[in-house]
Amino acid sequence: MAAGACSGNGILLDIKDPVHPKRVDAVNDPNYSYWHSASFSNDGSKVVFTDEWGGGLGARCRPNDPNKWGADAIFNLKDNKLSFANYYKLPAAQGDSENCVAHNGSLLPVPGRDIEVQAWYQGGVSVMDFTDPAQPFEIAYFDRGPIDPNTLILGGDWSAYWYNGYIYGSEIARGLDVFELTPTQFLTQNEIDAAKTVRVSELNVQNQQKIEWPAKLVVAKAYLDQLSRSQALPADQIAALQKAIQDAETSHMSKGNLAKLKGMTPSLEPSAAAAKNPADAARLRALANILKHPAT
């Protein structure tokens, strides 16, 4: 599949036969001025379209600017049909001298979540969690402030792309920004470390090659942090799993401790079946698969 932002609308293409692409769906939005870019979630169940209202040259993130303009529109994708879920716009209002609008970004490879890091010109960089497409929210940001507080000068981050553990932002007026994530209430160190296990020799964000995570225990710890956050497992069960993982790590993956981890997986299967949402069900299944055969 391919998703395209085509100035006046967003389209969905079947490109299985690239010589004969087929348009299978299209969406429009009266709140959008200029459909600019499109990103799939890693599983292909969602598409994030951006609106480059004003072409990136104007101050479009002021307190009086509508939150639906120059923002992201998140769509669910099922059976080749796009259905609107919600909008996202960076929550920090910007000044009259800061050009600001949604622009280029990429997926951030935290397992178990749909996260996009995105450039907003002089609005800086915003990291959005859209795991629940109906309730997207910001989990991290960087905003260096206006180039000139009194005069609008073109500048800010034109793109923000994750690559092998860092985020690279191409700042129009001030050079290259290189960022590293830090833990917050919305993002744990285990999740950051799990994201860093994804290594690629090259990256073309437009191609969106599928992200795959190694079966390492740090990835399992990230899933446990998420299951704790959503309360998908009892606290005592999470604590027991965390201790078992720690014991396996400190013993340098001894056979006895690995066997104990594997023995704890059957209790995760009924929890996955009874999970309140698909995200937690997927996390529980992925956690069980890692604990059965963790990579060294």
Side-chain angles (χ1 to χ4, degrees), residues 81-100:
K81 292 294 180 182
L82 293 162
S83 59
F84 176 75
N86 207 346
Y87 297 101
Y88 172 82
K89 192 170 183 177
L90 83 168
Q94 305 296 307
D96 291 333
S97 67
E98 295 175 282
N99 58 306
C100 176

Side-chain angles (χ1 to χ4, degrees), residues 30-288:
N31 291 304
Y32 259 38
S33 171
Y34 192 90
W35 297 69
H36 180 268
S37 61
S39 302
F40 286 97
S41 60
N42 192 52
D43 65 356
S45 67
K46 304 157 197 166
V47 180
V48 179
F49 290 101
T50 68
D51 173 23
E52 194 180 27
W53 180 33
L57 301 176
R60 296 292 186 260
C61 300
R62 299 163 299 182
N64 58 320
D65 288 322
N67 282 337
K68 296 178 181 179
W69 293 7
D72 297 328
I74 304 167
F75 286 80
N76 287 306
L77 173 56
K78 185 177 182 181
D79 298 327
N80 288 345
K81 292 294 180 182
L82 293 162
S83 59
F84 176 75
N86 207 346
Y87 297 101
Y88 172 82
K89 192 170 183 177
L90 83 168
Q94 305 296 307
D96 291 333
S97 67
E98 295 175 282
N99 58 306
C100 176
V101 75
H103 214 237
N104 299 330
S106 72
L107 294 186
L108 199 158
V110 172
R113 300 171 72 177
D114 293 316
I115 299 175
E116 181 167 12
V117 56
Q118 192 173 1
W120 290 79
Y121 288 98
Q122 285 193 68
V125 171
S126 180
V127 181
M128 169 190 65
D129 183 309
F130 64 106
T131 308
D132 179 354
Q135 300 183 65
F137 65 100
E138 185 178 72
I139 64 171
Y141 71 92
F142 177 86
D143 185 358
R144 69 161 79 228
I147 296 170
D148 188 313
N150 301 312
T151 304
L152 198 159
I153 300 171
L154 178 63
D157 286 290
W158 186 86
S159 63
Y161 298 147
W162 169 276
Y163 181 75
N164 289 347
Y166 298 93
I167 295 166
Y168 296 88
S170 54
E171 222 284 7
I172 296 170
R174 293 173 283 204
L176 183 70
D177 288 334
V178 184
F179 306 106
E180 188 170 18
L181 292 166
T182 57
T184 69
Q185 61 176 319
F186 304 116
L187 188 69
T188 67
Q189 187 63 56
N190 287 327
E191 290 177 300
I192 296 170
D193 292 341
K196 290 182 177 182
T197 66
V198 177
R199 313 291 294 185
V200 295
S201 58
E202 61 181 38
L203 177 69
N204 184 334
V205 172
Q206 306 307 318
N207 287 347
Q208 281 207 249
Q209 58 259 50
K210 189 173 183 179
I211 300 169
E212 296 181 343
W213 291 269
K216 292 188 175 182
L217 290 181
V218 67
V219 179
K221 290 192 286 186
Y223 287 130
L224 278 176
D225 287 348
Q226 294 163 7
L227 295 167
S228 175
R229 188 185 293 123
S230 64
Q231 299 181 336
L233 286 177
D236 58 345
Q237 186 176 4
I238 288 176
L241 286 163
Q242 289 172 331
K243 185 178 186 305
I245 289 174
Q246 183 179 10
D247 290 345
E249 289 177 326
T250 55
S251 70
H252 302 289
M253 310 291 274
S254 72
K255 289 183 178 180
N257 283 303
L258 290 179
K260 183 178 179 180
L261 280 179
K262 187 174 182 179
M264 299 176 80
T265 60
S267 63
L268 299 175
E269 294 170 2
S271 298
K276 294 180 180 179
N277 58 70
D280 279 334
R283 291 162 183 157
L284 285 159
R285 289 192 294 268
L287 173 63

